[in-house]
Amino acid sequence: MLSVSEAEATIFNLVSSLDNQQDTEIVDLFAADSRILASAVTSQLDFPYWDNSAMDGYAVRYADVQQATQQQPVILEIVEEIPAGYQPQSVIESGQAARIFTGAVLPAGADTVVMQENTQRQENCVLILTAPQKPREFVRQRATYYQAGTQLLPPGIMLNGAEIAVLATAQCTQVSVYRRPRVAIFSTGNELVPPEKPLQPGQIVDSNQYALAALVRQNGAEPLMLGIIPDEPPALEKAIAYAVSNADIVISSGGVSVGDYDYVEQIIESLKGKIHIQAVAIKPGKPLTVATFRNQVIYFGLPGNPASALVTFWRFVQPTIKKVSGLADGWQPKFIKALTRQELRSDGKRETYFWGKLHLQNGIYEFQLAGGSQSSGNLINLAQTNALAVMSVGQTLISSEEEVQVLLY
């Protein structure tokens, strides 16, 4: 049985990102939200595109106004008005100014903007009441934010609002992104029924498929739903073979313990899969199977208990999906320190995870343990949680208001 850190290292070493040549697609910018950029982006445009005004005011020559004071204002002739989107027609000569608005192109001859609060207009003239502090004050100079031909965005990043704004500014209306990873999902067990079917004595509604599909989508991948597979070797072999041939990642729940009807591992081996992990010292979630196949597909056999399935997903599968998706960084599990509001207890034999809610209170992160039983079979109190508090092997008690390591999900 591997420790959690050993299992994590094993899994992450097995995982490769999608290929940046074969596993890409071109999408329109409006469809690029939350996609992973597959290749570096450059632009032929400088940004700002040209010198422009950062203020409403007057475009002037610094040499004309550098001595201006309220007692001895400088008087300039207004030769043009320049709103945003207008191409200036005049060259500003000594003794002249142009009325200019925020974002408008700076006219030739001008090198500085005096904001309107420091001026007084008199018909076709403007009085400069305060000298600018330096030349080019309130001028956004061309290419100061980005120089054409250099890298604008690197590959392997997620495109969110800010990145999409940058691409739009660069007139990049189509982008190369990684395709979404395909994740096959199925549940195993003769006792399972779908939610729409009436329950008979001894049966259990299959919640894992629905939870895992939602989590897969939330992490930017496409779920391939294979349904409930009975505990029968021929049916399991057919499902696993299909999943391995059509997905990048396979997730099954149930069938990986040591019961008489747990066939998953022997079928993986019969299909020439290589099993790397069979159990992990984690609670909940000890019976975890991880295998790979020759086509680089990675297989996760998660426990059937709902809390165990979700905890092992958050701890191991979620970062795997993010890495496979092409993310260059930020795919690793995210841990922070928080104060626990309740006492946490463990037998210390396995790394133990408690689900609850993390929130920021007066600048300090606090962990609120979910009410009710922290049982691997209890999925009810998983609702509205967002974090897992972690107790290390050998740790048996964390008192209320003490610091605890917390995994965000």
Side-chain angles (χ1 to χ4, degrees):
M1 183 164 60
L2 298 181
S3 69
V4 172
S5 60
E6 289 171 336
E8 177 187 71
T10 298
I11 292 167
F12 294 166
N13 286 334
L14 294 171
V15 176
S16 299
S17 295
L18 294 173
D19 188 275
N20 63 2
Q21 299 297 318
Q22 298 181 359
D23 296 318
T24 64
E25 57 190 14
I26 303 297
V27 299
D28 290 335
L29 197 53
F30 273 124
D33 180 44
S34 298
R35 301 301 298 270
I36 309 301
L37 192 62
S39 56
V41 175
T42 60
S43 175
Q44 299 309 306
L45 298 172
D46 292 322
F47 192 73
Y49 310 125
W50 40 70
D51 289 357
N52 69 89
S53 177
M55 288 283 180
D56 292 347
Y58 292 87
V60 301
R61 296 163 65 98
Y62 179 75
D64 286 346
V65 300
Q66 59 181 322
Q67 302 299 327
T69 65
Q70 291 200 7
Q71 292 74 29
Q72 293 184 316
V74 173
I75 302 174
L76 302 173
E77 177 191 5
I78 300 170
V79 297
E80 188 172 17
E81 183 171 292
I82 309 171
Y86 173 79
Q87 179 63 40
Q89 303 298 307
S90 301
V91 176
I92 304 302
E93 305 288 351
S94 181
Q96 295 180 336
R99 178 74 166 112
I100 196 167
F101 296 89
T102 303
V105 177
L106 194 73
D111 60 10
T112 302
V113 173
V114 178
M115 64 180 180
Q116 63 187 17
E117 290 85 351
N118 293 334
T119 67
Q120 182 180 329
R121 182 153 184 171
Q122 291 183 350
E123 297 182 349
N124 291 328
C125 292
V126 61
L127 279 65
I128 307 300
L129 305 175
T130 303
Q133 294 183 9
K134 58 186 177 181
R136 306 198 72 82
E137 187 168 58
F138 299 126
V139 174
R140 302 180 185 128
Q141 293 179 249
R142 177 175 180 169
T144 52
Y145 303 155
Y146 170 76
Q147 187 174 359
T150 60
Q151 181 172 278
L152 184 64
L153 292 175
I157 63 169
M158 180 177 289
L159 299 176
N160 293 314
E163 292 77 21
I164 288 172
V166 168
L167 291 169
T169 295
Q171 295 188 315
C172 182
T173 58
Q174 292 189 317
V175 290
S176 175
V177 298
Y178 286 100
R179 66 171 175 81
R180 297 184 185 276
R182 294 183 290 268
V183 182
I185 303 171
F186 63 91
S187 299
T188 68
N190 295 332
E191 74 279 13
L192 299 178
V193 294
E196 67 274 13
K197 185 175 180 180
L199 275 178
Q200 301 298 321
Q203 293 182 329
I204 300 172
V205 173
D206 176 25
S207 62
N208 285 352
Q209 263 198 101
Y210 292 83
L212 294 171
L215 291 170
V216 163
R217 289 191 190 97
Q218 288 169 18
N219 284 279
E222 294 180 353
L224 173 62
M225 308 307 297
L226 302 185
I228 298 169
I229 310 301
D231 288 322
E232 299 168 3
L236 283 168
E237 183 173 351
K238 181 179 178 181
I240 294 173
Y242 179 86
V244 168
S245 298
N246 290 276
D248 304 294
I249 301 169
V250 180
I251 306 174
S252 66
S253 63
V256 293
S257 189
V258 291
D260 292 341
Y261 297 95
D262 295 330
Y263 302 114
V264 168
E265 290 187 357
Q266 67 187 61
I267 290 170
I268 289 173
E269 291 176 333
S270 73
L271 294 172
K272 308 302 182 185
K274 182 178 180 180
I275 296 175
H276 302 270
I277 299 173
Q278 293 176 289
V280 179
I282 185 172
K283 182 179 181 180
K286 175 183 172 182
L288 173 69
T289 296
V290 179
T292 53
F293 291 82
R294 292 177 182 175
N295 59 354
Q296 304 302 310
V297 171
I298 186 165
Y299 185 106
F300 289 93
L302 306 186
N305 281 323
S308 298
L310 294 189
V311 167
T312 49
F313 179 94
W314 287 318
R315 187 63 184 85
F316 302 114
V317 184
Q318 181 167 274
T320 296
I321 293 174
K322 291 180 178 180
K323 185 176 181 181
V324 170
S325 73
L327 268 179
D329 196 19
W331 53 265
Q332 301 89 343
K334 292 182 173 64
F335 291 92
I336 67 168
K337 295 291 188 180
L339 299 181
T340 179
R341 298 296 302 275
Q342 290 85 25
E343 180 180 273
L344 302 177
R345 287 186 175 274
S346 166
D347 61 13
K349 296 179 180 178
R350 289 181 278 162
E351 190 165 294
T352 303
Y353 289 70
F354 302 87
W355 47 97
K357 197 162 188 177
L358 185 74
H359 58 91
L360 192 63
Q361 186 73 26
N362 298 324
I364 298 173
Y365 282 107
E366 295 184 351
F367 178 78
Q368 179 77 35
L369 188 68
S373 169
Q374 293 271 318
S375 164
S376 62
N378 181 15
L379 60 80
I380 301 302
N381 65 349
L382 280 164
Q384 302 182 69
T385 63
N386 63 0
L388 296 167
V390 186
M391 291 185 69
S392 303
V393 174
Q395 195 172 23
T396 58
L397 173 66
I398 299 179
S399 300
S400 175
E401 305 303 324
E402 285 189 351
E403 194 173 70
V404 64
Q405 183 169 246
V406 176
L407 171 65
L408 304 178
Y409 55 77

